[in-house]
Amino acid sequence: MQEYGPGIVGEVRFARQDGGYYVDLYDREGNAVGKTGFWTTEAKAKEAARRLAAKLAGE
């Protein structure tokens, strides 16, 4: 797990069937708080996760 925002961690996953990456985001207690869309590269998925985590944190 990697931290993407204050109190928000995530895990990059590869969707073999769809051929892309996405990130599931969780709070510190392990509750799901969001999920990015599909991206062709892992780097783009991580950047989308950082933007989503900032939005969820209210920045």
Side-chain angles (χ1 to χ4, degrees):
M1 293 266 195
Q2 181 177 345
E3 186 164 345
Y4 287 97
I8 299 175
V9 295
E11 186 173 357
V12 177
R13 299 187 187 266
F14 179 69
R16 192 177 311 258
Q17 189 174 27
D18 297 323
Y21 295 88
Y22 66 94
V23 180
D24 284 324
L25 296 175
Y26 304 94
D27 63 13
R28 290 287 178 196
E29 288 79 41
N31 301 315
V33 294
K35 178 179 178 179
T36 66
F38 285 103
W39 296 90
T40 55
T41 66
E42 187 175 345
K44 287 183 180 183
K46 287 181 176 182
E47 180 57 34
R50 282 191 276 283
R51 288 192 311 266
L52 180 57
K55 184 184 284 187
L56 292 171
E59 293 180 0

